[in-house]
Structures are given as structure tokens and as C-alpha cells.
Amino acid sequence: MADAKDDVLEIVETPIDMTKYVDAVRDPGAGAITTFIGTTRDTFQNKEVVELQYEAYKPMAILELKKICTLARNQWPLIGIAVAHRLGTVPIGEESVFIAVSSVHRKDSLDSCQFLIDELKARVPIWKKEVYSSGEVWKENAEFLQRTQVGS
Amino acid sequence: MEMEVEKEQTEGADEGVELGVEKKVRVKVLLFARARELAGGSEFDLSVADGSTTADCVAELTTRFAALEVMRESIVVALNFNYITDPVEVKDGDELAIIPPISGG
């Protein structure tokens, strides 16, 4: 049975190969695989988004992902976890983040998958810039802002 | 002990005269996203006085890069890949990252 050391956590500069990450969590003992796909939107507050650019503090991002996976494994009985985040320019409609979780029973993978994406948005140091036809903005996740206010 | 002696000597000396070499700590500072753009660079070596904290480093950075002042309230820092909330004394060779509000996902 897979455990934490087999978790696949990657920051990539190319399109996300989702099949690869689903295969990474496949297991004969798994009754369920839950996946989350985050895709890039073309509008924000009626403004047309031309493209999105992602950057990361890579070594810390991987460490934070590991911490999140440990938290998830402490809370749910999981078999495999795979998380991939894409960097650089991501065209509209493509995947920016992908999560796959396997477990014996579906509720554990469903609940932990939601936890993983919520935690990723709250603490993994990755940034997104939305470029509009006029201007650009560095986005700020509400999940991060709420937590830093609590912490301060 | 050495520090104590040095202080006493400084008090007795004429103003403006520096005694010995003040011990400095070199910290590698990384900036990301909006902070990187405002400062005009992603990596700097910062030399601060021995005993300085992460908060001192951020203050020094905002002095050096005045443009960062606009986002000072929203900056979170990480020391050697770990988020910190309260100021921590920095050591030679530390890596301090300026983390503007994140937006992954």
C-alpha cells in the first residue's frame, strides 16, 4: 500500500499530464480516486483576461505541499496523493492545478481532496497574475488573507 | 563578554569614531510576484547588524526599496522556508523570503 513517501508533489512548467498523476495514486486496494482540476478563467469582474502567469517559491512550495499532505493523512485514511501545479503562462481554459487522492472508501478521498485544494490556496507560496487587455493584477487568495489576519 | 567591553569603549569614545568592526549578518532575501516587481529584482544580499530580526530586515528592505512601502502591511515572511509570524533573529546565511498575498490554485 502506498504511503506518504510515495506522494507525488510537482511544480511544472509544462501542461499538466493528468493521467500521470491519476496513475500515481491508482492502487488495487483503492475503491475511489477523487480528482480536482483547477482551470484558468477568461473573465474577472467583467474584465477579459488575456492570459495568466504563475510563479512560485519552489522549494518552499514543495515543503508546504508535504505538510498539507501530512495533515490530510493524519485526518483521513488515504492511499495515494498527487498534486501538480503549473507555472509560467497558462492559456485560458487549461489546467493550472491538479489533485488526485485515492482511498478505500470514497468519502475519505472526496473530503481530503477538498481539504487539499483549500489548504493549497491558503499556504502554498504560488502567485498568479491576471493580464487584461488594459492592465494587470496580482491576485490574492481569500484563504490566505483570512489566515494571515488570524495569525497577526 | 566582548560585546560588553566594546559598548563601554564606544560610550567613552568621541562621537563618530567607530571602534573595531561591527559584526554583520548576511541574509539572502528573495522577493516574489508584486514585491519582486516593485523592488525591481528577485534576489538581494542584505547585510544587517548582528542581533537583527526578520522585522529589521523588512524595515531595511522597505528603506532601500521605497516602492515596497505600499504593500508592507500585507507582507508575510518566510525564514528558511517556514512562515513566521513573530520576528525572529536572523543568522548568517539565512534565506528570508518576502511573501506577498499568495494566489495559487
Side-chain angles (χ1 to χ4, degrees):
Chain A
M1 198 182 202
D3 59 22
K5 70 177 184 333
D6 301 308
D7 290 347
V8 177
L9 311 172
E10 294 182 348
I11 311 276
V12 299
E13 317 245 345
T14 51
I16 295 174
D17 179 357
M18 293 186 280
T19 308
K20 170 188 153 181
Y21 298 102
V22 171
D23 287 345
V25 302
R26 276 183 203 281
D27 190 278
I33 295 175
T34 298
T35 59
F36 172 80
I37 308 171
T39 53
T40 48
R41 269 203 315 260
D42 66 353
T43 47
F44 174 73
Q45 292 176 349
N46 298 324
K47 282 184 285 190
E48 189 192 350
V49 179
V50 179
E51 67 174 36
L52 297 105
Q53 296 164 3
Y54 286 88
E55 68 179 66
Y57 183 16
K58 271 195 195 177
M60 184 173 165
I62 294 291
L63 283 174
E64 286 295 317
L65 284 173
K66 280 184 183 161
K67 288 180 192 170
I68 291 171
C69 289
T70 300
L71 291 174
R73 284 183 175 282
N74 288 342
Q75 205 169 336
W76 294 276
L78 304 176
I79 297 174
I81 306 176
V83 182
H85 203 297
R86 186 174 172 185
L87 299 185
T89 300
V90 179
I92 300 299
E94 293 193 10
E95 301 78 31
S96 53
V97 62
F98 184 76
I99 299 176
V101 191
S102 60
S103 59
V104 177
H105 304 293
R106 71 179 182 282
K107 190 166 191 319
D108 296 322
S109 64
L110 282 165
D111 291 350
S112 61
C113 190
Q114 165 123 44
F115 170 83
L116 288 165
I117 184 60
D118 288 346
E119 284 296 305
L120 182 150
K121 291 183 79 88
R123 57 188 284 183
V124 178
I126 296 174
W127 297 268
K128 170 171 72 178
K129 182 201 265 183
E130 283 184 352
V131 180
Y132 314 109
S133 45
S134 61
E136 56 186 37
V137 168
W138 285 102
K139 305 294 288 182
E140 301 183 350
N141 287 344
E143 296 87 344
F144 175 83
L145 297 173
Q146 284 157 8
R147 196 163 300 186
T148 52
Q149 275 165 3
V150 168
S152 64
Chain B
M1 282 301 282
E2 277 182 21
M3 291 289 290
E4 293 281 318
V5 173
E6 205 170 273
K7 263 185 192 167
E8 280 173 26
Q9 285 176 341
T10 308
E11 280 163 16
D14 291 338
E15 274 191 12
V17 176
E18 290 213 356
L19 285 173
V21 179
E22 192 191 0
K23 199 180 166 202
K24 289 276 188 178
V25 174
R26 282 168 60 91
V27 178
K28 181 170 149 189
V29 178
L30 300 179
L31 298 114
F32 296 94
R34 190 166 172 229
R36 171 178 53 76
E37 290 184 343
L38 289 172
S42 59
E43 190 177 326
F44 298 94
D45 279 328
L46 199 64
S47 186
V48 290
D50 194 24
S52 295
T53 65
T54 47
D56 297 327
C57 292
V58 172
E60 173 69 24
L61 266 186
T62 46
T63 304
R64 202 196 291 191
F65 304 104
L68 284 175
E69 192 62 45
V70 296
M71 64 181 309
R72 189 162 174 180
E73 293 303 310
S74 61
I75 283 176
V76 171
V77 299
L79 187 64
N80 300 324
F81 316 112
N82 287 297
Y83 285 113
I84 55 164
T85 42
D86 298 318
V88 173
E89 188 176 322
V90 292
K91 295 185 293 295
D92 209 43
D94 275 352
E95 183 165 307
L96 181 75
I98 304 301
I99 312 272
I102 64 171
S103 40

